[in-house]
């Protein structure tokens, strides 16, 4: 394959890639610089990206009045714990479903497959009621647990199908060496399943980070456990009328920031997880 | 340790997962179905009304509209976003290393942003007076194309779809790219000797071998777009009027804005059935034996 010839095809490739990069990146850049514009300049519009005068006051307002540090920590706790819980509980269930046979197993797998597409928001009302009766309202764990549970059907199936593909010979060798069922799990299956665990973790994190209605409903009585998704919206009602746009975008940029840091550190891991995981998943 | 004990012990291992799943996913469907036959204001049930909630739904024309919107977005993500991200991945494979690094970094970024941030950002872009889109259109002299994107019933759904798909095109692209990288180089060498160009090689080799990943992306795209409501909530709150509501948004609206929880639950029950049908269709369509390399 000659890689360095300039051909019509190659030019097309770059044009498409550049257009897509603009589509992907421009909204972010626009929002970022927009947050430094003063309210007047922002509302006057104009296609210039950079502000004429740099104005940092929206950031101060967003940070002070909107409690962003707290929301960010909440979001990180909720998403982080969801990932941990999903991995522990999900991988154990997937292991049993992959390595044992019992009478209800086909039915169980079928049920998991059928409910996989049901978004957790559909069940919000009964879940809300259940958390009330269980006295879980205003407890950050209620968000974590419901979030974990709703992701389980898809992720258990994903992990199960990967674990099924792991060669049984290893299990047998381990059994001869005297490994118990549990030991086999954490000495053999878990290490070999790392790629799919990474994929599942990414998926669970993404969902928990973006979940909106469930945390909104479950944190109604207790604003201190709100995650970012819910917190940013509360900014809308701040400031005088339309000028709140500015603060909200500043708030949004602040909300992006922790993710950028996580992302910079985790980028490699994400990509590797996806790479290895999805090839077999 | 006798055999009976070990078998029970093994199943015990799956118990936490199954418990969570049955308590928070399966069990809530029961009260859901019960409430859908009641008149309910959120605090207390006001008695059974039979099939009234359901007949009300089927008689209102909003119900058809919210389904059109929802499946429009599902269609867009499967028929537009998926091929576009596949194409991007194919092109990316041919780009230089520098371009690839930049793209790989940028592509995953939107998918880790929170949905409210994205919604607000795009609402800003579409704003009629000071939004970026109209500013650019004015700047390049296409004044006649400017409009109030999110308050116009004709443009609002595609606009929301663009913002929604924006978030995951990059992620899908990276998934496909990862799959392409896993295809052994010899296949392409053989194809090039046989005189196959980029398109031919892509269609005859890459895409068939990407089957597994395509399945995975079809599943997560459907899953995501069926459950779409937060973008709508943040960007337009369903407006103008009821033009941009999805099924889930309509459920939320009925239950929490109108306090008609009975009807909200009826929508939810119907949507659960739809989700189950969708999963059967998808399973039927893509459940084939995996390809051996």
């Amino acid at each position: 394959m000659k890689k360095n010839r300039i051909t019509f095809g190659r030019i097309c490739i770059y044009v498409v890639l550049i257009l897509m990069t603009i589509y992907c990146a421009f909204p972010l850049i626009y929002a970022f610089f927009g947050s430094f514009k003063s309210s007047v300049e922002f509302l006057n519009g104009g296609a210039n990206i950079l502000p004429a005068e740099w104005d940092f006051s929206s950031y101060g307002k967003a940070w002070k009045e909107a409690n962003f540090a707290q929301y960010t920590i909440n979001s990180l706790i909720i998403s982080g714990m969801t990932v941990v819980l999903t991995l522990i509980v999900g991988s154990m269930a997937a292991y049993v479903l992959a390595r044992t046979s019992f009478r209800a197993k086909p039915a169980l797998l079928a049920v998991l497959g059928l409910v996989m597409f049901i978004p957790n928001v559909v069940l919000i009302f009964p879940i809300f009621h259940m958390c009330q009766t269980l006295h879980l309202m205003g407890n950050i764990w209620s968000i974590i647990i419901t979030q974990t549970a709703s992701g389980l059907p898809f992720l258990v199936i994903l992990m199960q199908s990967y674990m099924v593909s792991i060669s049984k010979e290893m299990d047998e060798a381990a059994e001869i060496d005297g490994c118990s069922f549990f030991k086999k799990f954490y000495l053999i299956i878990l290490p070999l399943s790392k790629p799919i665990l990474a994929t599942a973790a990414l998926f669970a994190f993404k969902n928990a980070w973006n979940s909106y209605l469930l945390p909104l409903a479950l944190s109604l009585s207790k604003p201190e456990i709100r995650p970012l998704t819910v917190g940013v919206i509360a900014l809308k009602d701040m400031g005088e009328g339309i000028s709140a746009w500015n603060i909200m975008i500043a708030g949004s940029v602040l909300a992006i920031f922790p993710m950028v840091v996580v992302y910079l550190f985790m980028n490699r891991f994400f990509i590797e997880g996806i790479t290895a995981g999805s090839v077999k998943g | 340790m006798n055999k009976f004990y070990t078998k029970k012990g093994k199943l015990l291992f799956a118990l936490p997962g199954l418990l969570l799943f049955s308590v928070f996913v399966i069990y809530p469907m029961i009260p859901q179905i019960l409430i859908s036959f009641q008149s309910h204001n959120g605090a207390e049930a006001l008695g059974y009304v039979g099939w009234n909630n359901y007949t009300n739904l089927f008689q209102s024309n909003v119900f058809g509209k919210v389904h059109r919107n929802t499946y429009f977005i599902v269609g867009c993500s499967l028929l537009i976003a998926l091929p576009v991200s596949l194409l991007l991945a194919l092109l990316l494979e041919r780009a230089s290393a520098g371009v690839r690094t930049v793209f790989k970094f940028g592509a995953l970024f939107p998918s880790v942003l929170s949905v409210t941030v994205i919604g607000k950002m795009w609402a800003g872009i579409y704003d009629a007076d000071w939004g970026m889109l109209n500013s650019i259109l004015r700047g390049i002299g296409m004044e006649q194309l400017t409009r109030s994107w999110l308050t116009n019933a004709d443009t609002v759904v595609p606009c929301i779809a663009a913002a929604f798909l924006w978030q995951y095109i990059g992620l899908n692209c990276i998934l496909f790219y990862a799959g392409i990288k896993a295809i052994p180089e010899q296949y392409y060498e053989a194809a090039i000797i046989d005189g196959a160009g980029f398109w031919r090689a892509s269609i005859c080799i890459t895409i068939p071998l990407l089957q597994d990943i395509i399945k995975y992306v079809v599943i997560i795209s459907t899953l995501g777009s069926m459950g779409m409501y937060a973008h709508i909530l943040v960007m337009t709150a369903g407006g103008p009027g009821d033009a941009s509501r999805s099924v889930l948004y309509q459920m939320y609206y009925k239950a929490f804005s109108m306090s008609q929880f009975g009807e909200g639950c009826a929508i939810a029950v119907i949507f659960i059935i739809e989700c189950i049908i969708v999963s059967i269709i998808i399973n039927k369509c893509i459940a084939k034996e995996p390809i051996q390399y």
Side-chain angles (χ1 to χ4, degrees):
Chain A
M1 216 189 304
K2 279 186 185 165
K3 281 240 165 176
N4 291 318
R5 261 197 10 234
I6 297 171
T7 60
F8 177 69
R10 285 187 77 78
I11 293 171
C12 284
I13 292 174
Y14 281 105
V15 168
V16 175
L17 280 179
I18 289 166
L19 281 178
M20 284 313 293
T21 314
I22 292 173
Y23 175 57
C24 284
F26 210 67
L28 296 172
I29 295 166
Y30 174 75
F32 179 71
F33 288 112
S35 64
F36 292 108
K37 291 176 181 172
S38 66
S39 309
V40 180
E41 192 191 346
F42 196 77
L43 292 175
N44 280 341
N48 55 327
I49 297 168
L50 290 176
E53 255 175 69
W54 292 74
D55 179 6
F56 293 91
S57 64
S58 339
Y59 279 87
K61 279 183 206 156
W63 182 260
K64 253 185 291 170
E65 293 167 45
N67 217 355
F68 256 86
Q70 186 62 49
Y71 293 152
T72 309
I73 291 170
N74 290 344
S75 262
L76 286 173
I77 292 176
I78 292 172
S79 313
M81 285 316 291
T82 303
V83 169
V84 171
L85 210 61
T86 303
L87 287 187
I88 295 174
V89 165
S91 65
M92 275 159 53
Y95 172 56
V96 173
L97 286 172
R99 280 294 192 262
T100 55
S101 55
F102 49 96
R103 214 187 307 149
K105 186 171 123 176
L108 194 59
L109 281 175
V111 170
L112 286 173
L114 285 180
V115 300
M116 168 168 106
F117 285 98
I118 298 174
N120 60 12
V121 189
V122 171
L123 299 170
I124 183 137
F125 187 56
I127 287 179
F128 185 78
H129 257 243
M130 202 154 61
C131 288
Q132 264 177 338
T133 26
L134 293 174
H135 298 288
L136 274 171
M137 290 296 288
N139 185 332
I140 205 162
W141 280 96
S142 65
I143 304 176
I144 296 168
I145 289 174
T146 46
Q147 192 63 46
T148 306
S150 69
L152 274 181
F154 173 59
L155 294 176
V156 166
I157 285 189
L158 190 73
M159 291 190 265
Q160 190 255 359
S161 62
Y162 187 91
M163 287 176 183
V164 165
S165 73
I166 294 173
S167 155
K168 281 222 168 83
E169 282 160 31
M170 292 237 228
D171 288 42
E172 281 156 18
E175 229 161 277
I176 290 166
D177 289 344
C179 271
S180 68
F181 189 68
F182 178 68
K183 243 187 174 167
K184 239 169 27 193
F185 172 62
Y186 82 97
L187 285 181
I188 294 169
I189 303 291
L190 265 196
L192 286 174
S193 306
K194 260 185 207 153
I196 203 70
L197 296 180
T199 311
L202 175 69
F203 187 86
F205 190 90
K206 190 193 81 193
N207 272 8
W209 188 264
N210 275 324
S211 160
Y212 175 71
L213 201 52
L214 207 65
L216 174 71
L218 296 177
S219 67
L220 273 181
S221 59
K222 231 186 182 179
E224 342 41 302
I225 64 161
R226 279 186 188 155
L228 273 173
T229 37
V230 182
V232 171
I233 288 292
L235 278 180
K236 192 172 60 180
D237 311 320
M238 272 180 49
E240 305 81 36
I242 36 177
S243 62
W245 270 105
N246 234 8
I247 303 174
M248 201 151 48
I249 291 198
S252 306
V253 172
L254 288 176
I256 291 173
F257 191 70
M259 249 2 255
V260 174
V261 177
V262 172
Y263 187 74
L264 281 176
F265 284 108
M266 309 272 280
N267 189 26
R268 218 196 147 75
F269 167 78
F270 279 160
I271 288 178
E272 271 168 18
I274 293 171
T275 315
S278 52
V279 174
K280 283 199 174 173
Chain B
M1 233 191 293
N2 62 39
K3 205 152 192 170
F4 178 77
Y5 174 78
T6 25
K7 185 152 190 184
K8 274 271 166 76
K10 284 175 184 175
L11 294 188
L12 218 61
F13 214 54
L15 200 65
L18 295 179
L19 211 64
L20 268 183
F21 166 72
S22 7
V23 173
F24 289 98
V25 180
I26 299 294
Y27 169 72
M29 290 181 194
I30 299 167
Q32 183 92 302
I33 293 170
L34 291 180
I35 295 168
S36 76
F37 290 104
Q38 294 170 0
S39 173
H40 200 296
N41 66 6
E44 53 182 347
L46 307 170
Y48 280 85
V49 292
W51 290 92
N52 266 5
N53 289 329
Y54 289 92
T55 45
N56 281 349
L57 280 183
F58 285 114
Q59 275 160 8
S60 71
N61 46 11
V62 185
F63 196 61
K65 200 187 276 174
V66 296
H67 275 89
R68 262 206 308 285
N69 290 343
T70 304
Y71 290 103
F72 174 79
I73 287 165
V74 174
C76 280
S77 68
L78 292 183
L79 301 177
I80 299 176
L82 200 142
V84 164
S85 39
L86 182 56
L87 183 67
L88 271 179
L90 289 170
L91 296 179
L92 193 64
E93 221 264 315
R94 304 215 137 189
S96 64
V99 174
R100 273 212 292 264
T101 316
V102 172
F103 195 85
K104 272 204 267 185
F105 180 79
L108 279 183
F109 198 75
S111 62
V112 289
L113 293 182
S114 120
V115 50
T116 36
V117 176
I118 287 165
K120 280 299 155 203
M121 209 167 68
W122 280 87
I125 288 168
Y126 288 133
D127 191 277
D129 299 322
W130 46 265
M132 183 184 81
L133 192 55
N134 277 352
S135 304
I136 289 178
L137 286 174
R138 273 185 219 114
I140 58 174
M142 304 221 281
E143 192 82 38
Q144 71 278 14
L145 283 180
T146 61
R147 64 197 69 204
S148 175
W149 299 96
L150 290 183
T151 51
N152 182 330
D154 297 326
T155 54
V156 63
V157 180
C159 282
I160 292 177
F164 176 69
L165 300 177
W166 174 77
Q167 198 176 359
Y168 294 119
I169 280 191
L171 178 70
N172 292 349
C173 174
I174 296 293
L175 285 167
F176 286 133
Y177 175 72
I180 294 172
K181 280 270 127 193
I183 296 172
E185 194 69 28
Q186 307 91 281
Y187 289 90
Y188 291 103
E189 282 160 16
I192 285 162
I193 291 168
D194 290 346
F198 166 73
W199 293 108
R200 224 188 135 75
S202 300
I203 291 167
C204 297
I205 301 174
T206 319
I207 294 176
L209 288 176
L210 275 181
Q211 230 191 34
D212 282 347
I213 296 203
I214 295 176
K215 276 184 205 171
Y216 177 74
V217 174
V218 165
I219 291 173
I220 57 170
S221 302
T222 318
L223 218 129
S225 36
M226 294 284 284
M228 214 277 260
Y229 69 94
H231 292 75
I232 297 170
L233 192 73
V234 177
M235 286 173 74
T236 65
D242 50 21
S244 65
R245 289 181 196 161
S246 70
V247 178
L248 279 188
Y249 186 84
Q250 178 69 10
M251 179 206 88
Y252 165 83
Y253 176 80
K254 275 282 173 197
F256 293 97
S257 301
M258 310 277 287
S259 284
Q260 295 172 342
F261 280 79
E263 260 184 61
C265 285
I267 297 177
V269 170
I270 294 175
F271 196 61
I272 287 174
I273 296 170
E274 284 170 37
C275 288
I276 290 176
I277 294 171
V278 166
S279 96
I280 292 173
I281 294 173
I282 286 189
N283 271 320
K284 275 256 156 32
C285 291
I286 65 178
K288 282 191 225 147
E289 282 300 299
I291 286 195
Q292 295 294 323
Y293 286 85

